Amino acid sequence: MKEYREVKKEKELLIIMPAYNEEKSIEAVLEKLEQPEIANIADILVMDDASSDSTNWIVKRHKHALITHVFNLGYGSALQIGYKYAIRRKYRYIIQMDSDGQHDVCNIKKIYQKLKEEDKNGKCPDIVLGSRFMEGSADFPVSFAKKMAYALFRKIVYWGSGYKITDPTTGLQGLSRRAVLFYSKYNHFDDRYPDTNMIMQMSLLGFRIEEIPAVMHVRTQGISMHSGFKPLIYMLRMCLSTLAVWFRIKLLKEDVETVEKEDAV
């Protein structure tokens, strides 16, 4: 089903990078991650989701941990397999970022520090979102249609959970082991588009979510997974999925007892 290659785990932080036909951009991202300020604190895992270009060989040349799918399983499935790897390798923190160069490497240390920052009750965040739209975020141009979509997703999250999230579709996220453990289990994670729906799920289940300003760039190479008519399909699917999550947890109380039992262990 997939080719698997791992390296020795030495650090408590793992960076997971899903990749699909990113030969034009992934090498530059890896080179930045290999600078001492990042390499000294984090290991890297690339999830190659059946790329047909040279993505796989570039990662192998850089000698990072690599899992290669024989068939394209989708963004969410690539992440979830990465979570399972992280749990088995006993990583304490995870940061997931894109391999196309949109997520600046300068965000890594900030998210890592935030994951370890205790609040007044001595609790650390379970999820840290890197936001494009907070005060202090770098300028990030978006179309009018996307602005409307983001505004709708913000409203849905606020109405459903009470959380005011400025960037509910960000793919740049830091996760605690508690969050990764939950995500790694069957039926706890969207295998296609894990965005706003997962924020709704985790907030309703009592996971602690924080946002920090992030530096992001517009994609300059390759093809986005939201190209063509895909944004329309994505928006409809995300709205329905997020509402379904609210119904499942708030009314049917699914997964609530599971989280409570895990926390009690």
Side-chain angles (χ1 to χ4, degrees):
M1 185 65 179
K2 57 181 177 291
E3 176 189 343
Y4 175 81
R5 175 179 174 270
E6 69 174 14
V7 295
K8 183 180 179 181
K9 179 260 181 180
E10 297 178 348
K11 307 173 183 75
E12 67 175 4
L13 172 64
L14 177 68
I15 298 171
I16 300 177
M17 296 172 56
Y20 177 65
N21 291 341
E22 297 291 358
E23 65 178 6
K24 294 180 179 179
S25 57
I26 193 170
E27 187 154 34
V29 177
L30 291 175
E31 288 173 350
K32 291 177 182 178
L33 291 172
E34 289 162 0
Q35 297 302 306
E37 61 267 25
I38 303 299
N40 289 338
I41 63 172
D43 292 327
I44 298 169
L45 169 66
V46 176
M47 303 297 305
D48 180 12
D49 197 20
S51 295
S52 58
D53 63 5
S54 299
T55 297
N56 189 279
W57 300 108
I58 291 171
V59 178
K60 286 181 176 179
R61 188 166 65 242
H62 283 259
K63 299 181 180 180
H64 294 297
L66 171 68
I67 296 176
T68 303
H69 298 165
V70 177
F71 303 102
N72 185 269
L73 300 179
Y75 177 74
S77 291
L79 281 174
Q80 191 177 49
I81 294 171
Y83 299 151
K84 292 178 184 293
Y85 172 96
I87 292 300
R88 290 190 176 186
R89 299 292 293 170
K90 295 182 170 37
Y91 285 96
R92 188 173 180 182
Y93 303 104
I94 304 301
I95 294 178
Q96 60 190 53
M97 62 178 288
D98 293 348
S99 56
D100 59 10
Q102 290 195 78
H103 298 158
D104 199 291
V105 172
C106 72
N107 298 300
I108 297 297
K109 292 187 72 174
K110 296 175 183 178
I111 293 176
Y112 182 40
Q113 291 168 357
K114 189 67 176 179
L115 282 168
K116 299 193 293 181
E117 184 179 295
E118 295 183 356
D119 62 16
K120 61 182 180 181
N121 298 316
K123 301 290 186 180
C124 295
D126 293 302
I127 301 173
V128 176
L129 306 174
S131 173
R132 293 165 287 184
F133 309 121
M134 290 179 71
E135 183 177 348
S137 302
D139 291 337
F140 188 87
V142 294
S143 66
F144 177 77
K146 286 187 176 180
K147 286 182 180 179
M148 294 299 98
Y150 296 151
L152 175 61
F153 292 151
R154 291 187 196 107
K155 287 292 186 182
I156 291 175
V157 172
Y158 179 68
W159 289 336
S161 70
Y163 266 85
K164 292 184 177 181
I165 303 296
T166 66
D167 194 355
T169 66
T170 179
L172 178 62
Q173 300 186 18
L175 306 172
S176 69
R177 183 174 175 84
R178 176 176 180 247
V180 174
L181 183 61
F182 185 81
Y183 275 161
S184 69
K185 295 180 179 178
Y186 176 73
N187 210 30
H188 286 183
F189 196 70
D190 189 333
D191 65 349
R192 297 302 298 177
Y193 301 120
D195 283 327
T196 307
N197 50 354
M198 295 296 94
I199 293 176
M200 176 72 84
Q201 170 184 274
M202 301 304 269
S203 62
L204 291 177
L205 291 176
F207 288 83
R208 297 173 290 277
I209 302 175
E210 299 281 351
E211 274 190 300
I212 64 170
V215 177
M216 298 194 195
H217 310 287
V218 177
R219 170 190 276 269
T220 58
Q221 303 283 353
I223 300 175
S224 171
M225 68 177 181
H226 294 308
S227 59
F229 290 102
K230 292 179 182 178
L232 296 176
I233 299 172
Y234 162 81
M235 186 173 178
L236 178 59
R237 187 183 193 281
M238 189 54 55
C239 287
L240 294 175
S241 177
T242 304
L243 293 173
V245 166
W246 183 90
F247 181 85
R248 178 170 55 81
I249 296 175
K250 291 292 288 185
L251 299 185
L252 301 183
K253 304 298 181 182
E254 291 186 13
D255 295 329
V256 175
E257 291 186 3
T258 300
V259 174
E260 291 175 349
K261 288 179 181 178
E262 290 178 352
D263 288 344
V265 176

